[in-house]
Amino acid sequence: MAISFRDRVAIVTGGASGIGRALCAELAGRGAMVVCADIHYDGARTAVAAIGPRAAAAALDVTQSEEVARLVEDTARTYGRLDYMFNNAGVAVGGEVRDLTLEHWRQAIDINLWGVIYGTTAAYAVMLRQGSGHIVNTASAAGLVGEPGLIPYSVTKSAVISLSTALRAEGHAFGVRVSVVCPGFVDTAIYDHAIGVRIDKAEFLKNLPVRLVSAAAAARAILRGVERNRSIMVFPFYARLAWWLMRIHPDALGGLHRKTLAKLRATRSGAQ
């Protein structure tokens, strides 16, 4: 059954750009009140200015649990409740494991996993009190199939998927819904801000065998899944196909992964 977002209250982390900004715009356009939260506060304010009065900007570093908890509690207090928590902020860490340091792993884990854990647990506490709410965590198709050259990213996104599917079962009895989003390659600023180690990001994008999904299309797909209370949202079709193939035969994507690595290694010497 389709639901209405009118007069619902939502927080979107990573809301200044990409999927987050598109979600803020789409939610506000459907009548929700949206808190656009981002570490880049000026970017959040710019997004809110473009969206209009049904959006408010907030400065937020998702790696700081106190900041996340404060924003969630303040939002619930200001608007009387919190209906949706979109834990969307993330960072891509690219490079082969042989070139990565533990600090690269920590950066991926702090933002992509701890950031989601902080947002999830803070929102879950509020929603338990309310007896309702929906937590939507952004993972990635890379978390379902693993992606060579993006292993810290894949690992953190796999953990987000497990967190979300397990909490969905726990929250059901209390009226709290949990979903996880697993998109393929989306056209966002995550590539511009990616931490790349001996990877030529321009070449990486040029050699992708698929088209990038627009952020607006991704936001619409996510909200369709939220309306239908989907547990796992995987899009576009090639991402679902890859997931199905991996479930049928874990080595099904081995050839494609080797080709991907070969292309990455071909530009390795010229990359930073």
Side-chain angles (χ1 to χ4, degrees):
M1 181 180 295
I3 62 172
S4 172
F5 293 99
R6 179 161 298 281
D7 296 326
R8 302 301 185 187
V9 178
I11 295 173
V12 179
T13 70
S17 63
I19 293 175
R21 180 167 179 165
L23 277 170
C24 289
E26 193 71 28
L27 285 162
R30 300 185 188 198
M33 181 63 209
V34 187
V35 177
C36 175
D38 203 290
I39 193 170
H40 303 292
Y41 183 54
D42 287 345
R45 291 178 64 189
T46 300
V48 165
I51 292 168
R54 300 203 68 84
L60 179 68
D61 181 350
V62 298
T63 69
Q64 303 301 310
S65 61
E66 298 85 358
E67 286 190 28
V68 177
R70 188 182 310 115
L71 176 65
V72 168
E73 290 291 345
D74 286 351
T75 300
R77 187 180 307 111
T78 298
Y79 299 103
R81 65 181 188 278
L82 175 64
D83 298 297
Y84 297 100
M85 181 71 184
F86 290 86
N87 291 303
N88 171 75
V91 64
V93 177
E96 292 188 56
V97 168
R98 57 178 166 158
D99 296 320
L100 300 176
T101 66
L102 290 179
E103 183 56 30
H104 292 121
W105 283 89
R106 289 190 186 97
Q107 286 177 290
I109 292 168
D110 282 349
I111 296 172
N112 295 347
L113 181 53
W114 275 116
V116 172
I117 291 172
Y118 295 150
T120 295
T121 54
Y124 192 58
V126 169
M127 292 173 182
L128 286 176
R129 296 200 301 264
Q130 297 174 163
S132 66
H134 200 152
I135 298 167
V136 185
N137 294 328
T138 300
S140 170
L144 294 169
V145 304
E147 190 68 37
L150 291 171
I151 291 179
Y153 182 77
S154 297
V155 168
T156 56
K157 296 303 186 177
S158 292
V160 169
I161 294 167
S162 295
L163 164 66
S164 304
T165 54
L167 186 60
R168 181 180 175 88
E170 290 191 12
H172 177 77
F174 307 111
V176 181
R177 297 175 171 183
V178 183
S179 300
V180 64
V181 182
C182 300
F185 293 100
V186 180
D187 189 7
T188 73
I190 194 170
Y191 306 108
D192 299 327
H193 302 306
I195 301 167
V197 182
R198 303 199 70 175
I199 280 185
D200 187 317
K201 288 185 278 188
E203 283 295 316
F204 173 79
L205 290 172
K206 187 176 76 174
N207 288 319
L208 284 178
V210 295
R211 290 184 178 181
L212 298 179
V213 178
S214 74
R220 290 192 295 270
I222 292 167
L223 293 188
R224 280 197 301 272
V226 170
E227 286 180 318
R228 298 167 186 173
N229 190 26
R230 299 292 192 199
S231 174
I232 304 177
M233 308 171 205
V234 187
F235 61 87
F237 176 73
Y238 73 78
R240 292 195 297 274
L241 177 61
W243 182 35
W244 294 335
L245 288 173
M246 284 289 289
R247 292 163 73 187
I248 295 169
H249 194 309
D251 291 326
L253 300 181
L256 179 60
H257 283 167
R258 287 188 289 274
K259 288 181 180 178
T260 300
L261 276 173
K263 290 178 179 179
L264 287 175
R265 288 167 178 167
T267 62
R268 176 181 169 85
S269 60
Q272 298 299 316

